[in-house]
Amino acid sequence: MESQNRIWTTFRKKPMALVGMGMLAVALIMALFAPLLAPYDPNERVDVVPSDILAPPGEGHLLGRDDAGKDVLSSLIYGARVSLIVGFVSSFFSMFIGTTVGLTAGYYGGRVSNALMRFTDFLMVIPDLPLMLVIISVWGRGLWKIILVISILYWTYTARLVRSQVLSIKERQFVLRARALGASNYRIIVRHILPQVMPLIIAQAVLDISSSIIAESTLSFLGLGDPTLISWGMMLNFAFERAISRKAWWFLLPPGIAIVWVSLAIILIGNALEEIVNPRLKTHHLFNPRNMISLMLAKPLLVESESPPEVTP
Amino acid sequence: MEKIPILRIEDLYKQFPVTRKFIDRIKRSPKQVVHAVDGVSFTVAQGEILALVGESGSGKTTVGMNVLGLQVPTKGRILFDGHDVSDWATGRLRSGKNGDGLGRLSRRKQILSLRRRAQMVFQDPYESLNPRQTIWEIVVEPLEIHNLGLRANEKEARVRAALEDCGLAPADHFWSRYPDELSGGQRQRVVVAGALVLEPELLVADEPVSMLDVSIRADILTLLQSLRKARDITIIYTTHDLATAGYFTDRMAVMYLGRVVELGPTVEVLKEPRHPYTQALVSVAPVPNPRKRRQRVILQGEVPNPIDIPSGCRFHPRCPIATDECKKTDPPYVEISAEHEAACLKI
Amino acid sequence: MTTLEVRGLSINYLTDDGVALNAVEGLTFSLEQGRSLGLVGESGCGKTTVMLSLMRLLPEAGRIVNGQVFFEGRDLLQISEGEMQAVRWKDVSMVFQGAMNALNPVRTVESQIIEAMQLHNVVNSKQDARKRAGGLLELVGITANRGKQYPHQFSGGMRQRAVIAMALACNPRILVADEPTTALDVMIQAQIIELLEELQRELNLSLVLVTHDLGVVAEMCDDVLVMYGGTVAEYASSDTIFNNPGHPYTQRLLKAFPDIAEPGSDLASIPGNPPRLDSLPPGCRFEPRCHVGNGEPICLEALPPLVEIEPGHYVACHLVKGK
Ligand SMILES: Nc1ncnc2c1ncn2[C@@H]1O[C@H](COP(=O)(O)OP(=O)(O)OP(=O)(O)O)[C@@H](O)[C@H]1O
Ligand SMILES: Nc1ncnc2c1ncn2[C@@H]1O[C@H](COP(=O)(O)OP(=O)(O)OP(=O)(O)O)[C@@H](O)[C@H]1O
Ligand code: SF4
Ligand SMILES: [Mg+2]
Ligand SMILES: [Mg+2]
């Protein structure tokens, strides 16, 4: 309760976070109410005449039509679904894997930890994209496959983060106290360690959403997306292949902007969250002695104000 | 008071490996160890308050942790109520001893039975409470861990009694708060209350007041003293402040570099310290009265590194009365009176 | 000769919401050359605030709202910042609370002392500075060649000595030491006390010692000022404070402090907590915890003035009458 209050007050003081939430809300609404908002159903077969192909924006088609004569706006709206599903679900999975690995490695230490961390390092050093390409081309295309591929490659950072936090938290006195009370390892992890790392995990998960969205878009752009679903990345792919030569900017720009829009929204929120997670220490005491020493030493700092201090009788 | 020993420490050694730098490994320089506790023996009677005093790094906390089985001794034994603590703490007691059937319990049950009877209060009241738990959650947690089969209202009564015994009355006033809404003294009371809900027989209080303001210290100390009276609890109180120890403990063990150098009734040790180290410590403890200023015996330098313990008497490099013999012979304990002993060649 | 005289000093802290918190109210004391004054009080009673305001180094939120600080007859609160710069460190120097943990970890101890001297133009050449820095380190009991080491190679006690050496770099007349022994081990604490006493004798320093440890004050100070909740509770010679305390707070504080010379004696804590600055009692700030004046109308109403109840013995309590 108290921490929720804190989150809220910090958010209020951060206009950029509110902007981010607003931007994300737009995308969420688009995804949730796609059938209501989209003027056409992009999955419906349409009969096209040649002039419909890549027709510029105009009456009835606010963002024009694509290379198959379909409404770009409708595809854009439906595309939000894929991007957001992939973003949220894979970030949830990678959070789950990363947290489990990080907690286990950090808390138990020893061989288990070493083995797990070597594996994490191994995953971290191989470049993600080529690996994803390889896996998808072997495995075949599909929404869930994409989600899985992204999750199993993106948990490493969370794992490292959680592990390093756990290493320091488990040395803290309240954990020792719990041990002295007879608490089991499970209880110590769940009741005492996890709550301390949770905010960090969530902040990281939020940032992961945007990386996952970008990863999905990249895969789709490279033609490895789910062929049965419209996504922004796939729209970009088609636009690049067929629209650039015909200067059909209305097909190219909207998905690009949409991807940037959502990623930006999430980064804005994530940054504000990070600040909440790492609040500057509440200073009960007067000062940071180091500042005072440098104040004392560094003449220029003090000579700036030549007037005596305010003394009101 | 009839004295039944409840805790017996027999020749306790605890060493920690020194983490070696990479370069040392390459150079194959020998492994080093920190001799945190280096041959400590004493007993504590039921209902007694023992002070364990010494400078930073003398090994007080390490003794406390070993007594509770939170660390495994390198050598030596600790017997709590007749059972070996390190076996007990890992659930490896064998049945038969004492006839109390402890050894027949499952490992987890053995561990819990020890935890229930021996508790610890940690030094830093700002660190030893989980900042995300309410006071209620903190104090009720031991009851949940030990699953004593209490009904909700019994639990509430236990928590209330513990908090109010520790001077946090009325308890409902406090239990929905978070630790950062309490002052240092109040937090330390919560820590003590959390250790007391289980009604332990032994309490290791590791510097419980050194982080607190002077005006609050007396409070916590009086609390510990009253607990002893009310619950016949045995307390090991560690501190580097001789004056607070003098106020409420029965016996005092003075530690230097992992060894007890003097042990005796508190008043006797403070009034007539016999070991030169105790004498120096007593002489430099500030007395709150300018009329009672004393000649200070200031030891130069600092406590040596517990990696290389000096030869002979470990205190000889700083001892004002050391002779050549002190460099060679590790002094045995000399009995000064029935309950008072010190390890010095010059007594 | 009176070196330092503080009259009616009041300090507020402005919070983010613009509320003024009265951290120090009507503080008055004086300090003779070569003597030592102990400033004692519980955590948060305003000791550090007072010392920082003497140096005019209050943090941004701090405001001196009233009072005078005379150093050798000159009001330090009225001079320009440039003039203050000349006073600071050269005439009045300070060992900050916790400064021993704030030394720059990546520079040698010696170079940090030299920097202090160079910034205040007390040395001409690098060589001169080296020599003086070495001399200062010797003065505080550290062999000069250890100055080449880094702070982490020093133990706590040595770091505290180094900080004291730094404060002495410009031969100050007054040394303000804020909690110089807190968090140090008993023996190291005794070493630092001894060092300060020696320095005071040898350099004829005036010393202001800020601490919450009554024992340390009794060991070293000629005069004692007891603060409570930002106000002076009692101000007198050390002997009077410890043997004939007038203010109820001083009396309670002494009872709460264990005396090693009398092991086994009773201790009595002071019930309650110090006042919070955002909800100060309207009358005497000690009233809610006072065993004498709790509930007395006059104590509930007005902040007691500081009265000289006998020569050199000042008490701020409605119920303590002069002789
Ligand atoms: N887990 C550990 N690993 C390595 N060395 C340790 C460990 N715990 C303690 N030591 C070392 O053992 C020695 C004794 O430590 P201990 O904490 O018992 O001292 P203490 O008397 O409690 O000191 P303090 O007053 O500082 O709490 C110290 O030198 C310390 O550095
Ligand atoms: N920058 C600030 N803004 C608001 N209040 C402050 C500020 N700095 C200090 N205070 C408050 O002023 C009061 C006096 O603080 P100060 O640090 O002077 O106390 P102290 O006596 O030195 O305490 P300690 O013994 O803990 O060092 C405290 O209540 C503190 O919370
Ligand atoms: S044995 Fe020797 S060195 Fe050790 S304390 Fe006694 S006199 Fe000092
Ligand atoms: Mg310790
Ligand atoms: Mg202070």
Side-chain angles (χ1 to χ4, degrees), chain B residues 213-233:
Chain B
D213 224 317
V214 183
S215 70
I216 303 157
R217 280 184 194 180
D219 240 17
I220 301 286
L221 298 180
T222 317
L223 168 66
L224 290 179
Q225 194 181 31
S226 67
L227 288 174
R228 186 260 296 267
K229 281 193 194 115
R231 304 191 174 190
D232 197 27
I233 211 170

Side-chain angles (χ1 to χ4, degrees), chain A residues 285-286, chain C residues 47-49 97 178-179 210:
Chain A
H285 280 292
L286 266 176
Chain C
K47 305 181 295 289
T48 300
T49 306
Q97 184 169 8
D178 195 354
E179 308 271 10
V210 180

Side-chain angles (χ1 to χ4, degrees), chain A:
Chain A
M1 187 202 78
E2 180 242 12
S3 66
Q4 270 165 15
N5 267 340
R6 214 181 64 205
I7 292 180
W8 178 234
T9 36
T10 317
F11 260 123
R12 255 194 337 208
K13 280 191 201 146
K14 304 238 114 211
M16 287 331 267
L18 288 183
V19 171
M21 301 241 264
M23 286 166 69
L24 185 63
V26 171
L28 275 175
I29 289 172
M30 264 168 55
L32 279 177
F33 301 109
L36 300 176
L37 293 172
Y40 304 91
D41 182 351
N43 295 321
E44 210 176 8
R45 285 192 63 90
V46 283
D47 296 324
V48 283
V49 292
S51 67
D52 284 348
I53 291 177
L54 291 175
E59 190 76 18
H61 298 279
L62 269 175
L63 292 176
R65 296 186 184 211
D66 65 12
D67 59 317
K70 290 186 180 172
D71 183 40
V72 173
L73 179 63
S74 305
S75 306
L76 189 72
I77 291 175
Y78 272 87
R81 292 189 149 183
V82 173
S83 290
L84 290 180
I85 286 178
V86 172
F88 279 90
V89 177
S90 352
S91 120
F92 178 80
F93 281 156
S94 40
M95 171 176 96
F96 186 79
I97 306 174
T99 306
T100 314
V101 171
L103 278 177
T104 323
Y107 186 77
Y108 291 100
R111 286 221 185 96
V112 189
S113 167
N114 275 341
L116 281 173
M117 280 301 128
R118 284 292 117 74
F119 181 57
T120 314
D121 289 340
F122 171 70
L123 280 183
M124 269 177 134
V125 291
I126 350 181
D128 292 337
L129 193 62
L131 190 61
M132 279 198 246
L133 292 179
V134 171
I135 298 180
I136 291 284
S137 30
V138 172
W139 219 5
R141 299 150 68 185
L143 182 65
W144 283 100
K145 289 178 181 160
I146 290 182
I147 289 179
L148 278 181
V149 166
I150 295 177
S151 330
I152 55 178
L153 289 182
Y154 276 25
W155 56 267
T156 49
Y157 191 73
T158 312
R160 278 245 158 244
L161 187 79
V162 171
R163 176 173 169 270
S164 71
Q165 285 292 312
V166 171
L167 280 180
S168 76
I169 292 172
K170 81 169 177 184
E171 298 299 330
R172 288 181 59 180
Q173 261 184 29
F174 62 83
V175 174
L176 193 60
R177 173 175 172 268
R179 217 149 64 78
L181 286 174
S184 58
N185 289 333
Y186 174 78
R187 189 185 184 97
I188 291 179
I189 292 179
V190 172
R191 291 286 181 91
H192 296 281
I193 294 183
L194 197 54
Q196 318 293 325
V197 237
M198 209 56 208
L200 258 180
I201 295 176
I202 289 176
Q204 180 58 32
V206 168
L207 291 173
D208 270 352
I209 296 177
S210 89
S211 350
S212 307
I213 290 178
I214 291 174
E216 185 276 333
S217 305
T218 314
L219 286 176
S220 301
F221 176 73
L222 295 174
L224 293 173
D226 188 327
T228 62
L229 294 167
I230 302 159
S231 77
W232 293 336
M234 199 180 302
M235 286 171 76
L236 274 180
N237 175 17
F238 289 144
F240 249 78
E241 277 175 20
R242 294 162 204 168
I244 287 192
S245 53
R246 297 178 54 177
K247 302 213 169 63
W249 54 266
W250 56 89
F251 189 21
L252 186 63
L253 281 188
I257 291 176
I259 293 169
V260 173
W261 175 274
V262 172
S263 317
L264 187 65
I266 285 162
I267 287 169
L268 289 177
I269 298 173
N271 283 348
L273 270 179
E274 272 204 313
E275 187 147 323
I276 296 167
V277 175
N278 296 322
R280 276 158 289 149
L281 285 173
K282 277 188 216 159
T283 37
H284 158 65
H285 280 292
L286 266 176
F287 60 91
N288 170 349
R290 188 175 294 164
N291 289 347
M292 287 322 268
I293 287 198
S294 53
L295 252 182
M296 202 92 186
L297 288 173
K299 251 178 172 174
L301 245 176
L302 291 161
V303 184
E304 272 168 22
S305 65
E306 275 288 323
S307 59
E310 214 178 303
V311 178
T312 40

